[in-house]
Amino acid sequence: MRAAACRRTKRHLALVPSPRAAPDPAHELLLRASADGDAPAMYNLASQAAERGDVREKERWSRASAEAGHPEGAYSLGLLSSERGDLQEGETWYRAAAEGQHPNAMFNLGLLLRERGDFDGAEHWYGRAAATGDAQAAQNLVLLRRRRHRR
């Protein structure tokens, strides 16, 4: 009987109401906390959206958390903006996250500034990222300094 049910056409399946997923209590708590201005809750909602593959919701909640001062949300927006090719907005959000002590944002901001030719800015942010223990940032800092001293 189960095998026969699987062979129904889409037309027949459309007539059967789809079961609604039970409300997720944790998700509901995050929504309530977010409504109260809880930036980490907003970022957690962005993470849940990312897990579902919902980029629009991820961006919406990342923006809300970033605007509420959460560095992880700002970093997420920096990534999203950069992936879209909007490097100016990417820089804005990476800078906000970096100033909030986010090591990956410090590194990415250094990369972006180096590519733009702002070697002083790149050196600053690579140095800050290296100070957090980021070995790749330390290596980039050394290479950048060598290159600058050859000129």
Side-chain angles (χ1 to χ4, degrees):
M1 185 162 200
R2 194 166 197 57
C6 291
R7 291 189 188 127
R8 291 184 185 166
T9 65
K10 288 182 180 181
R11 183 176 54 118
H12 290 131
L13 289 175
L15 299 175
V16 179
S18 61
R20 286 212 179 273
D24 178 3
H27 184 78
E28 295 299 319
L29 286 172
L30 288 173
L31 286 172
R32 274 188 254 137
S34 294
D36 290 337
D38 186 323
M42 293 172 196
Y43 182 72
N44 284 332
L45 287 168
S47 295
Q48 287 181 349
E51 287 174 13
R52 293 190 311 271
D54 189 340
V55 177
R56 287 174 112 170
E57 276 296 288
K58 176 186 177 186
E59 184 167 0
R60 176 178 163 239
W61 286 112
S62 292
R63 185 171 307 281
S65 69
E67 290 173 352
H70 198 277
E72 199 69 48
Y75 176 67
S76 179
L77 283 175
L79 288 173
L80 289 168
S81 300
S82 295
E83 287 169 3
R84 278 197 305 261
D86 188 346
L87 299 182
Q88 193 65 38
E89 185 177 355
E91 179 182 345
T92 298
W93 290 114
Y94 283 145
R95 189 174 302 280
E99 289 170 354
Q101 308 308 309
H102 194 289
N104 291 337
M106 293 173 191
F107 179 84
N108 285 4
L109 183 55
L111 278 175
L112 196 148
L113 294 172
R114 186 192 72 204
E115 291 298 315
R116 186 176 295 148
D118 179 356
F119 299 119
D120 290 335
E123 187 171 337
H124 171 79
W125 288 109
Y126 280 149
R128 295 274 307 271
T132 70
D134 186 323
Q136 184 66 51
Q139 181 179 7
N140 285 7
L141 180 60
V142 167
L143 294 172
L144 179 63
R145 286 179 175 164
R146 282 183 188 161
R147 180 178 175 203
R148 291 182 78 187
H149 291 296
R150 284 187 205 153
R151 289 181 177 194

